[in-house]
């Protein structure tokens, strides 16, 4: 068992707070304990290297690293001590990108995106541009309970027809709190009930509430459909909670999850599991092929994981201020050893399995 | 060879085909088929396997089906209840033979 951190790696001045060091560790055969094939070679075998985008469909915007939680597995290294959040000026640049392109989805993430003081303004502006564009908020649930000023979030989401995607790694308290911190399970359950109360997750309302499951430990998720069935059964029976879909997501070995793997002695075995579970069909559908990820400071990345490793897109259009759709859609996606997390078993993306 | 039960040997399970490729292949094909989703879910099969692993006390199977059931989303309570089922059947199987002992006792005693 590894205790939940109270501070981000960055605030602890931990070596893994440095992205270059993380990349070094991910490529260090000695600390992994076996000779791990390069991910790019795996893509090469199926003529997928260099990896190319298929379209620009989803704009995922990281509104900041600030969060009310300090989860053990957080790939963002988020927490209350992180002050990097998106400014209104950068949001204006996002709006311009949404206005001038054909994204079908805007996916708001963080940290806790709702903690950004301009969060609500930003959502309203997106809705002004388009009534039809899908807006997703990755809500950590406890934020709804964290302060009275957030209690009306379910109503706000509903008013703007936002899809809510929330993390719940288990339907038991001990397993959830072990990953996300003491008391998180109870608050998450209350928040889910509040979302249900306004209609989220209920049949016929059209208000989507999806759950994200990622393992609280050094193992891979298996069988999204089976997990969903059990979560539905247990949450309904124990707490009268309903939701739409469950996305099973593999923990990517970067940032705090990488630290957890190393400290708990599971690092080598976990990487081996990922490599052994490599699935070429999943590789074809990795989310970076139709997504762009925007950092709190307006830089552009292939995905949220590359963002956290500070691997900016490999083309001239590195920042929203120089957004060029044709350059971006023709870029080579940057891959590294952490990408094995997206291609294990049935694959993994922000929307769950991909194969 | 200086010890029994090396955890690394679990990964070499497939090597049993080396001395008997055909039977080995038949076994692994059948094994794979057994654990597919069927009238029982993979999750239920995993819990049964975990219980059996404890009944036959196979450390390889215990490692394998602890990982498997965690991956299927089972809770610690579910895993432990499966082990208790194995224990109860083992204990019960011993105890039910007490009836045999009693029968024999009654036969022999005055
Ligand atoms: S995993 Fe989500 S809720 Fe947990 S610290 Fe990271 S951003 Fe916050
Ligand atoms: S980690 Fe990012 S770049 Fe790598 S395969 Fe996954 S989505 Fe693509």
């Amino acid at each position: 068992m590894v205790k939940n951190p109270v501070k981000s790696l960055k605030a602890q001045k931990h070596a893994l707070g440095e992205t270059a060091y993380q990349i070094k560790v991910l490529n260090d055969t000695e600390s992994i304990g076996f000779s791990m094939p390069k991910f790019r070679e795996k893509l090469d075998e199926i003529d997928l290297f260099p990896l190319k985008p298929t379209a620009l469909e989803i704009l995922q915007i990281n509104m900041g690293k600030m969060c009310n939680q300090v989860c053990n597995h957080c790939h963002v290294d988020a927490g209350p001590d992180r002050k990097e959040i998106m400014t209104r000026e950068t949001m204006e640049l996002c709006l311009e990108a949404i206005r001038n392109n054909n994204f079908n989805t805007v996916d708001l993430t963080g940290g806790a995106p709702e903690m950004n003081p301009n969060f609500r303004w930003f959502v309203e502006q997106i809705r002004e541009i388009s009534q039809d564009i899908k807006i997703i908020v990755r809500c950590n649930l406890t934020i709804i309970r964290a302060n009275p000023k957030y209690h009306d979030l379910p109503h706000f989401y509903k008013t703007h027809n936002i899809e809510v995607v929330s993390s719940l790694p288990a339907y038991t308290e001990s397993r959830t709190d072990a990953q996300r911190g003491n008391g998180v399970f109870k608050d998450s359950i209350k928040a889910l009930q509040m979302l249900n109360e306004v209609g989220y997750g209920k049949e016929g309302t059209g208000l989507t509430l999806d759950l994200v499951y990622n393992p609280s430990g050094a193992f891979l998720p298996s069988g999204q459909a089976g997990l969903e069935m059990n979560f539905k059964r247990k949450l309904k029976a124990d707490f009268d909670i309903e939701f739409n879909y469950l996305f099973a997501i593999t923990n990517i070995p970067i940032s705090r999850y990488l630290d957890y793997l190393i400290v708990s002695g599971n690092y080598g075995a976990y990487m081996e599991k990922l490599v052994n579970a490599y699935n070429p069909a999943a590789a074809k559908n990795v989310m970076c092929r139709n997504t762009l990820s925007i950092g709190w400071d307006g830089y552009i990345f292939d995905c949220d994981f590359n963002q956290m490793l500070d691997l900016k897109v490999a083309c001239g259009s590195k920042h929203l201020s120089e957004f060029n759709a044709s350059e971006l859609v023709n870029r080579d996606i940057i891959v590294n050893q952490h990408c094995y997390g997206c291609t294990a078993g049935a694959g993994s993306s922000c929307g769950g399995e991909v194969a | 060879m200086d010890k029994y039960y090396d955890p690394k040997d679990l990964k070499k399970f497939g090597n049993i085909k080396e001395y008997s490729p055909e039977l080995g292949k038949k076994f692994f094909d059948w094994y794979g088929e057994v654990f597919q989703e069927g009238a029982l879910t993979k999750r239920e099969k995993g819990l049964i396997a975990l219980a059996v692993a404890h009944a036959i006390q196979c450390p390889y199977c215990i490692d394998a089906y602890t990982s498997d059931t965690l991956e299927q989303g089972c809770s610690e309570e579910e895993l432990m209840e499966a082990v208790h089922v194995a224990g109860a059947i083992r204990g019960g199987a011993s105890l039910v033979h007490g009836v045999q002992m009693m029968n024999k006792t009654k036969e022999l005693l005055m």
Side-chain angles (χ1 to χ4, degrees):
Chain A
M1 281 260 220
V2 173
K3 265 183 67 183
N4 265 78
V6 277
K7 283 183 181 173
S8 65
L9 294 172
K10 187 155 185 226
Q12 293 172 42
K13 300 201 171 19
H14 192 297
L16 285 175
E18 296 298 327
T19 53
Y21 183 67
Q22 290 184 47
I23 293 172
K24 189 168 165 261
V25 171
L26 283 165
N27 284 279
D28 176 9
T29 304
E30 213 165 291
S31 59
I32 297 172
F34 72 103
S35 141
M36 195 172 151
K38 294 284 176 219
F39 185 75
R40 79 175 112 80
E41 289 164 8
K42 290 285 191 187
L43 293 183
D44 216 6
E45 282 168 14
I46 51 168
D47 288 332
L48 220 55
F49 187 78
L51 187 62
K52 290 291 204 184
T54 50
L56 303 182
E57 290 173 344
I58 303 171
L59 189 69
Q60 189 173 62
I61 301 173
N62 195 304
M63 302 194 62
K65 297 178 195 275
M66 192 187 280
C67 191
N68 57 317
Q69 292 185 190
V70 195
C71 304
N72 244 326
H73 72 306
C74 182
H75 73 272
V76 179
D77 193 23
D81 59 49
R82 299 301 299 260
K83 306 298 174 210
E84 304 94 319
I85 57 167
M86 190 174 270
T87 61
R88 193 142 157 169
E89 290 71 49
T90 305
M91 290 181 198
E92 300 270 13
L93 294 174
C94 292
L95 293 171
E96 213 174 295
I98 296 166
R99 209 174 283 122
N100 300 334
N101 295 281
N102 293 319
F103 294 103
N104 58 31
T105 303
V106 177
D107 184 343
L108 303 175
T109 185
E114 301 90 341
M115 286 177 89
N116 187 308
N118 289 308
F119 169 74
R120 296 188 193 215
W121 172 82
F122 188 46
V123 167
E124 284 157 9
Q125 296 302 307
I126 301 170
R127 265 289 162 259
E128 234 169 69
I129 296 173
S130 166
Q131 282 300 311
D132 308 321
I133 198 164
K134 189 201 274 195
I135 306 179
I136 295 173
V137 64
R138 296 198 179 258
C139 169
N140 72 11
L141 295 175
T142 60
I143 192 66
I144 297 176
R145 307 280 314 160
N147 185 304
K149 70 177 174 187
Y150 297 126
H151 287 357
D152 69 331
L153 277 170
H155 283 280
F156 177 80
Y157 301 145
K158 180 179 176 175
T159 307
H160 298 284
N161 190 22
I162 297 181
E163 290 195 17
V164 179
V165 178
S166 291
S167 283
L168 194 70
Y171 45 73
T172 57
E173 182 167 0
S174 60
R175 192 80 71 78
T176 300
D177 287 5
Q179 182 191 85
R180 300 178 71 78
N182 282 341
V184 167
F185 184 73
K186 285 202 176 89
D187 276 336
S188 301
I189 292 298
K190 280 190 203 122
L192 285 169
Q193 288 165 337
M194 286 166 75
L195 285 160
N196 273 176
E197 257 165 48
V198 301
Y200 271 100
K202 297 271 188 188
E203 227 182 284
T205 61
L207 297 169
T208 305
L209 169 61
D210 295 328
L211 293 186
V212 165
Y213 160 89
N214 40 9
S216 325
F219 53 95
L220 307 183
S222 135
Q224 182 168 281
L227 286 165
E228 180 182 291
M229 203 175 74
N230 276 297
F231 267 71
K232 286 204 162 160
R233 188 172 54 85
K234 290 293 279 184
L235 289 177
K236 180 75 190 161
D238 295 352
F239 307 105
D240 198 26
I241 287 171
E242 289 171 62
F243 66 94
N244 296 91
Y245 297 103
L246 181 117
F247 304 148
I249 300 189
T250 303
N251 286 307
I252 305 291
I254 64 169
S255 196
R256 290 213 288 264
Y257 189 69
L258 177 58
D259 178 49
Y260 154 76
L261 288 174
I262 295 172
V263 172
S264 64
N266 281 303
Y267 179 46
Y270 188 77
M271 295 308 275
E272 201 170 357
K273 262 188 210 170
L274 289 182
V275 174
N276 289 342
Y278 169 76
N279 176 359
K284 292 196 177 86
N285 296 323
V286 283
M287 63 179 170
C288 47
R289 303 194 80 187
N290 67 348
T291 305
L292 282 181
S293 156
I294 308 297
W296 67 276
D297 50 3
Y299 281 98
I300 307 174
F301 303 85
D302 302 300
C303 69
D304 208 44
F305 306 118
N306 281 7
Q307 179 181 147
M308 299 315 152
L309 290 171
D310 206 18
L311 301 167
K312 297 185 179 75
V313 280
C315 69
S317 186
K318 289 196 193 315
H319 191 270
L320 281 173
S321 57
E322 50 201 11
F323 194 99
N324 179 322
S326 76
E327 259 186 31
L328 285 163
V329 83
N330 287 306
R331 76 194 191 278
D332 291 352
I333 293 166
I334 301 175
V335 294
N336 209 304
Q337 300 304 76
H338 63 294
C339 296
Y340 277 110
C342 293
T343 56
S348 176
S349 74
C350 285
E353 290 180 351
V354 296
Chain B
M1 200 177 74
D2 58 358
K3 62 178 176 234
Y4 298 114
Y5 290 134
D6 183 343
K8 288 198 199 80
D9 285 347
L10 177 54
K11 285 183 207 142
K12 300 182 196 152
F13 192 9
N15 295 358
I16 64 156
K17 281 193 280 195
E18 199 178 311
Y19 289 177
S20 178
E22 260 176 53
L23 287 178
K25 185 182 175 314
K26 280 188 173 150
F27 168 75
F28 284 112
D29 287 349
W30 171 68
Y31 190 101
E33 196 73 22
V34 164
F35 282 93
Q36 289 306 309
E37 202 84 13
L40 294 175
T41 63
K42 281 187 185 174
R43 188 176 194 276
E44 287 162 342
K45 290 178 183 182
L47 285 166
I48 294 171
L50 183 70
V52 175
H54 282 80
I56 60 172
Q57 292 173 303
C58 168
Y60 300 117
C61 302
I62 291 173
D63 274 9
Y65 285 94
T66 300
S67 299
D68 177 82
T69 45
L70 288 175
E71 285 173 7
Q72 308 286 344
C74 298
S75 65
E76 294 91 316
E77 291 82 355
E78 288 170 314
L79 268 63
M80 189 51 94
E81 283 184 22
V83 174
H84 274 284
V85 170
I89 295 294
R90 283 193 68 145
S94 291
L95 287 171
V96 74
H97 285 80
V99 179
Q100 168 75 14
M101 173 271 285
M102 289 164 76
N103 290 345
K104 191 70 188 168
T105 307
K106 285 174 187 158
E107 192 183 301
L108 294 176
L109 289 180
M110 282 170 125

